[in-house]
Amino acid sequence: MAARRPSETIAIVTHWMGVADANTAGNVHGGVIMRLCDEAAGIAAIRHAAVRVVTAGMDRMTFIEPVGVGELVTFRAMVNAAWRTSMEVGVRVEAENVRSREVRHVSGAYLTMVALDADGRPCEVPALEPETGEERRRQREAQVRRDNRLAERDAILQARAVDHPSRSGAA
Ligand SMILES: CC(C)(COP(=O)(O)OP(=O)(O)OC[C@H]1O[C@@H](n2cnc3c(N)ncnc32)[C@H](O)[C@@H]1OP(=O)(O)O)[C@@H](O)C(=O)NCCC(=O)NCCS
C-alpha cells in the first residue's frame, strides 16, 4: 500500500448557520459543530484510507467562542497520523461574519477514525508521510495523544481488575 501525504487528505466543509442550528439565544448548538467536525473528519479519513471509515472516538473537542446564526462556519480536516487500522484527524473550525468578513477560530477537535473492510472489520490503512515541519509536529503530537489514551485505558482496566474483578472488560 503506497504511503500518502497529509495534504492529500484535506477536507473542507462550509456551512451557513441557520435558525435550526441554534438555541433561543441565537448561538449555534455545540452538537451541530460536533456533527460537522465528524463529517469533515470522515471525508479526510476516507481520502487517506480509500475505504469506509467509522468514528471510534472524539478525543478533544474545544469550544473557544460561541458561533451565531448567519455566520459561515468552515471545518478544515486533515489526517495527522495513521497507525495500523486507525487514523487521527484534526479539525479546525473558523466562523466568518459575512458582513465584516472577520474570521475567528472558534473550535477544534481530534477524532479517531477506523477503516473497515467490506465485511465491516477493521483493515489496514496506508502509512502517512508528513512533508513539512508542521505536519511532522502534528504527527508527533497525535502519537502523544494515542499513547496517553492507551495508557489511560490500561490503567482503568488494571484498577477495575483489582477493585471489581467481575467488571474488568473494556468500556
Ligand atoms: C471502532 C471499531 C471498529 C473498533 O473495533 P474493535 O473490535 O475494537 O477493533 P480493534 O480492537 O481491532 O481496533 C481497531 C482500531 O481501532 C482503535 N480503537 C478501538 N477503539 C477505540 C477507541 N475507543 N478510541 C480510539 N481508538 C480505538 C484501535 O486502537 C485500533 O487501531 P490500530 O489498528 O490503528 O491500532 C468498533 O468499536 C466500532 O465499530 N465502533 C462503532 C463505530 C460507530 O458506530 N461510530 C459512529 C458512527 S460512524
Side-chain angles (χ1 to χ4, degrees), residues 48-99:
H48 183 71
V51 292
R52 190 162 79 84
V53 300
V54 285
T55 311
M58 198 179 238
D59 239 5
R60 308 268 195 287
M61 179 82 229
T62 53
F63 296 103
I64 303 161
E65 284 187 28
V67 176
V69 167
E71 291 199 283
L72 282 181
V73 183
T74 299
F75 300 77
R76 286 190 177 74
M78 188 165 78
V79 174
N80 287 336
W83 296 284
R84 198 179 72 80
T85 67
S86 66
M87 299 149 272
E88 184 197 90
V89 182
V91 186
R92 180 184 170 95
V93 187
E94 291 178 343
E96 178 182 348
N97 179 308
V98 291
R99 289 195 179 80

